[in-house]
Amino acid sequence: MTPPIAADYTAQAISTDTIGYLHSTESGAGVDGPGMRFVFFTSGCQFRCLYCHNPDTWKLHNGRQVTVEQALSEVAPYARFLKFAGGVTISGGEPLMQDEFVGLMFREIKSRFGLHTALDTQGFLHDRVPDEWFEPVDLVMLDIKHSDPEKYQALTGQPLQPTLDFALRLKRLGKKMWIRYVLVPGLTDGDADIERLADFVAGLGEVVERVEVLPFHQLGIDKWEKLGMKYELTDTPIPTPEQAAHARALFASRGLKVT
Ligand code: SF4
């Protein structure tokens, strides 16, 4: 497995607040937030999730370099449509690796276009930004990849606690959240692990609008091969509908809305 990149590497890697690195964009996405979304996928991620389906986003400088103005010009033609149909999501990779660029993007998207904004993140780097950074962000889609610290570390290459701290911070800020959980047979489908997470998420209260259980898939396998990296989940099955329904029921049993 490729070793994780140290968090302080990222601060060094970003030298300006107006230049960012984008892996790709997508218009008309229906699964990355409420309604129809224009999605910016940033490059750079310090996690090394075993099930990552976009390992080509890991390296920051593999992305296309853009200014904030260039990035905004890509969403501008859709702004009137997005105003009533959905909004803009910034995903990754890990957007908080480019906190200054992404923060400026959110501020400008909100002030120029008045659009609904969503941040899709695993939260690890949240403490590099002040509370005000989140003001133009309407929704945080927070990936919590495991509830057991050791298994989380084994799955992602990084510790769990910063992500849990981020969830508690968002609760304090009253920020709306969707919690995302990738269900992987043999890795994240243990009842006790899901119940531990469900209890934590239920404790966050009404800022959590929903929990999304995302069944693991094998669609990223070719990318691992192309990058010459060893993919460790070749023999891992995708969850059956019954397994997915069972995981959703565990979250729902805590009073959470689950999709
Ligand atoms: S956090 Fe997302 S982009 Fe980063 S390694 Fe994990 S799945 Fe891939």
Side-chain angles (χ1 to χ4, degrees):
M1 187 172 75
T2 309
I5 299 171
D8 61 0
Y9 162 82
T10 61
Q12 202 184 329
I14 310 294
S15 58
T16 167
D17 63 352
T18 57
I19 296 292
Y21 295 87
L22 293 178
H23 171 266
S24 56
T25 61
E26 192 176 336
S27 56
V31 294
D32 292 296
M36 299 293 283
R37 316 295 296 181
F38 188 99
V39 186
F40 291 101
F41 295 96
T42 59
S43 59
C45 184
Q46 71 286 72
F47 276 29
R48 295 292 177 262
C49 300
L50 297 178
Y51 57 63
C52 183
H53 60 270
N54 283 318
D56 51 331
T57 66
W58 287 355
K59 289 190 179 163
L60 181 77
H61 292 104
N62 279 356
R64 168 170 61 99
Q65 193 183 57
V66 291
T67 64
V68 168
E69 289 301 328
Q70 285 169 333
L72 291 172
S73 73
E74 295 183 26
V75 73
Y78 304 98
R80 286 180 64 184
F81 168 72
L82 293 170
K83 181 92 175 169
F84 68 84
V88 176
T89 299
I90 303 184
S91 181
E94 171 46 54
L96 285 170
M97 266 189 79
Q98 304 186 54
D99 56 292
E100 294 195 12
F101 171 74
V102 171
L104 194 50
M105 286 287 291
F106 276 130
R107 287 202 298 277
E108 293 301 314
I109 290 165
K110 188 56 83 180
S111 65
R112 286 191 205 187
F113 307 127
L115 296 176
H116 180 277
T117 56
L119 168 70
D120 180 11
T121 177
Q122 25 83 340
F124 180 73
L125 295 174
H126 78 96
D127 62 357
R128 59 166 44 189
V129 298
D131 288 349
E132 305 78 69
W133 192 95
F134 295 98
E135 283 172 7
V137 180
D138 295 310
L139 172 71
V140 176
M141 302 166 74
L142 179 60
D143 300 314
I144 305 183
K145 295 167 185 298
H146 214 294
S147 67
D148 178 280
E150 283 184 18
K151 293 176 190 170
Y152 189 97
Q153 179 88 40
L155 178 64
T156 70
Q158 297 286 4
L160 166 64
Q161 195 57 45
T163 297
L164 299 183
D165 291 344
F166 183 42
L168 294 169
R169 179 182 184 188
L170 292 172
K171 176 186 179 184
R172 174 174 61 76
L173 294 174
K175 193 61 68 181
K176 287 179 185 167
M177 275 182 263
W178 289 7
I179 302 296
R180 298 181 124 184
Y181 188 69
V182 179
L183 186 68
V184 190
L187 278 181
T188 69
D189 65 341
D191 280 8
D193 292 326
I194 295 173
E195 286 172 330
R196 189 183 309 110
L197 180 58
D199 287 337
F200 174 78
V201 173
L204 297 172
E206 59 190 28
V207 288
V208 177
E209 290 190 329
R210 67 170 70 174
V211 175
E212 292 186 313
V213 174
L214 308 171
F216 164 72
H217 59 69
Q218 293 282 17
L219 299 179
I221 189 166
D222 291 348
K223 293 185 179 177
W224 285 74
E225 283 169 8
K226 266 190 202 147
L227 291 165
M229 299 189 306
K230 182 169 164 35
Y231 181 67
E232 297 185 28
L233 304 188
T234 308
D235 298 326
T236 300
I238 61 171
T240 63
E242 291 73 25
Q243 286 173 312
H246 178 68
R248 291 188 176 105
L250 292 176
F251 282 107
S253 72
R254 270 59 178 181
L256 294 160
K257 183 181 173 192
V258 190
T259 58

